[in-house]
């Protein structure tokens, strides 16, 4: 069959099998990941990176210990909030995939948030990083977050209580960062641009796309693709766009986008599972293998669906020739 005769698989509809199984996969993966997080012990083996971070604080000058504990606590608190946000968006993806018609781009946009949260957490808590580097990363993320809060508050109203609270939060954060022995560097405009701790340096502006490329379980360029969907970029949106019988612009659900979005979530869970398990001193290999088996099953399901659609298309063609 020539390319001209090949069916537009989007126009054949999204098989219920792909949609329903995608939702089920996300539900089970999220439940397993939540259980995994709850199983990470508060007390960590001596060989773990988490224990090394605690020991690094204890080995610090006595005047630095309390503020460094606050920096570590801030990082762990931010991590907990981010992981909850990740799970919340996975739940939203599952609900998008329940029933038909399936949304074209919403599950891609939701998967972007999942990947972003996973990459941020895994980048900071990578067990290969030194404690000095990790504290610089936590400090930079904290400073960047508070600075964005302050910018938003200024744009909202110069007289609002929101601005007062943002300014107080910035002052408190700056004091804690400096008391912990970290330095906030500023650009020519006076805006914070990085945090320095000894030889460690961390930018307050996170290169998420670059960090995602450095983590192998994430789909290549997925952040750019899902960002294009989130921002209604025409070059991507037109990939699933056509015309209905009346000539009006319409979009067609595509099993490839459903499958890719699910794979991006599984890649995020794989990264988080391996990273946080190792950081907390727990062997993550069994949990990682479970995620990888789910990943293979999703890929095989997509292949089966495409083969079935091709068979259905050939059957329709043969019936038309009768």
């Amino acid at each position: 069959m020539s390319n001209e005769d090949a069916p537009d698989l989007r126009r054949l509809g999204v098989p219920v099998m792909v949609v329903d199984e995608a939702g089920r996969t996300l539900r089970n993966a999220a439940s397993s990941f939540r259980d995994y997080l709850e199983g990470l012990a508060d007390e960590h083996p001596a060989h773990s990176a988490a224990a090394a971070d605690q020991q690094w604080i204890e080995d610090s000058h006595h005047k630095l210990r309390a503020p460094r504990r606050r920096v570590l606590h801030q990082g762990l608190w931010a991590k907990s909030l981010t992981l909850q946000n990740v799970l919340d968006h996975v739940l939203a993806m599952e609900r998008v995939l329940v029933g038909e018609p399936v949304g074209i781009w919403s599950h891609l946009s939701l998967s972007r948030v999942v990947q972003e949260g996973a990459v941020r957490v895994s980048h900071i808590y990578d067990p290969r990083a030194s404690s000095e580097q990790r504290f610089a990363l936590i400090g930079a993320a904290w400073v960047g977050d508070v600075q964005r809060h302050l910018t938003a508050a200024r744009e909202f109203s110069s007289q609002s209580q929101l601005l007062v609270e943002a300014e107080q939060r910035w002052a408190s954060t700056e004091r804690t960062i400096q008391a912990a022995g970290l330095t906030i560097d500023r650009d020519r405009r006076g805006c914070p641009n990085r945090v320095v701790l000894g030889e460690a340096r961390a930018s307050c502006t996170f290169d998420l796309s670059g960090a995602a490329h450095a983590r192998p379980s994430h789909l290549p360029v997925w952040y750019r693709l899902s960002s294009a969907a989130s921002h209604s970029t025409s070059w991507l949106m037109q990939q699933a766009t056509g015309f209905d019988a009346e000539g009006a612009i319409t979009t067609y659900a595509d099993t490839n986008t459903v499958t890719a979005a699910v794979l991006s979530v599984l890649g995020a869970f794989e990264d988080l599972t391996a990273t946080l398990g190792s950081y907390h001193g727990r062997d993550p290999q069994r949990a990682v293998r479970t995620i990888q088996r789910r990943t293979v099953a999703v890929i095989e399901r997509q292949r089966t669906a495409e083969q079935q659609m091709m068979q259905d298309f050939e059957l329709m063609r043969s019936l038309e020739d009768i």
Side-chain angles (χ1 to χ4, degrees):
M1 183 171 59
S2 67
N3 289 336
E4 289 77 10
D5 295 330
D8 184 343
L9 299 183
R10 295 170 299 178
R11 295 177 183 271
L12 294 178
V14 178
V16 174
M17 175 186 69
V18 173
V19 178
D20 289 350
E21 288 300 307
R24 186 180 68 84
T25 297
L26 291 176
R27 181 170 60 254
N28 292 340
S31 177
S32 297
F33 182 62
R34 189 178 289 105
D35 292 342
Y36 181 80
L37 290 177
E38 292 176 354
L40 296 178
D42 292 331
E43 295 183 3
H44 313 293
H47 67 274
S48 68
D53 287 349
Q54 295 283 359
Q55 188 61 49
W56 181 78
I57 293 175
E58 295 305 315
D59 292 340
S60 301
H61 188 278
H62 67 91
K63 292 183 178 180
L64 297 173
R65 291 173 194 162
R68 286 184 173 178
R69 289 192 189 99
R70 288 197 290 273
V71 171
L72 180 61
H73 176 76
Q74 168 63 27
L76 295 174
W77 171 241
K79 181 190 73 172
S80 297
L81 292 178
T82 302
L83 293 177
Q84 183 56 46
N85 192 42
V86 164
L87 288 167
D88 182 68
H89 280 75
V90 175
L91 175 61
M93 286 181 67
E94 177 202 344
R95 291 177 176 175
V96 166
L97 295 172
V98 173
E100 291 191 75
V102 179
I104 309 303
W105 301 117
S106 54
H107 51 282
L108 270 73
S109 300
L110 292 165
S111 71
R112 172 181 181 264
V113 179
V114 174
Q115 185 184 42
E116 181 170 346
V119 172
R120 287 181 183 276
V121 170
S122 296
H123 182 68
I124 291 176
Y125 290 94
D126 191 324
R128 296 170 296 184
S130 67
S131 295
E132 189 175 70
Q133 183 63 37
R134 186 164 3 268
F135 275 73
L137 289 168
I138 292 173
W142 191 6
V143 168
D145 175 56
V146 176
Q147 180 64 28
R148 286 186 288 274
H149 180 191
L150 186 58
T151 299
R154 286 170 176 164
E155 293 177 352
F156 181 79
S157 173
S158 61
Q159 303 298 324
S160 69
Q161 181 62 28
L162 177 65
L163 178 56
V164 173
E165 293 172 353
E167 289 174 338
Q168 291 173 345
R169 186 183 177 210
W170 167 255
S172 175
T173 299
E174 186 177 29
R175 285 196 302 270
T176 301
I177 290 290
Q178 293 174 343
L182 288 79
T183 301
I184 302 175
D185 282 355
R186 298 175 181 271
D187 60 21
R188 294 178 179 178
R189 298 176 299 171
C191 296
N193 61 358
R194 68 175 181 175
V195 168
V196 179
L197 177 60
E199 298 298 319
R201 287 163 173 75
S203 174
C204 297
T205 303
F206 185 54
D207 177 16
L208 195 138
S209 182
H213 274 290
R215 312 199 69 82
S217 70
H218 294 276
L219 292 180
V221 305
W222 184 253
Y223 184 70
R224 295 191 185 280
L225 291 172
S226 56
S227 294
S230 301
H231 299 151
S232 298
T233 307
S234 60
W235 69 262
L236 180 66
M237 303 290 287
Q238 66 190 11
Q239 303 302 313
T241 301
F243 298 92
D244 61 18
E246 287 73 35
I249 294 178
T250 186
T251 51
Y252 297 93
D254 182 5
T255 58
N256 288 316
T257 65
V258 173
T259 296
V262 173
L263 291 175
S264 73
V265 171
L266 294 177
F269 280 163
E270 182 179 340
D271 191 12
L272 286 169
T273 298
T275 299
L276 296 179
S278 298
Y279 176 77
H280 289 283
R282 176 176 175 180
D283 184 0
Q285 290 308 309
R286 181 176 178 181
V288 167
R289 284 195 294 270
T290 298
I291 297 172
Q292 291 173 340
R293 285 194 292 270
R294 284 194 171 109
T295 299
V296 171
V298 169
I299 294 172
E300 290 300 320
R301 186 167 67 233
Q302 174 64 21
R303 289 174 178 167
T304 300
E306 289 184 354
Q307 292 170 359
Q308 184 63 54
M309 284 189 288
M310 291 296 295
Q311 293 171 8
D312 292 345
F313 176 77
E314 292 296 338
L315 177 59
M316 286 189 297
R317 284 196 359 154
S318 65
L319 293 175
E320 290 174 355
D321 294 337
I322 296 177

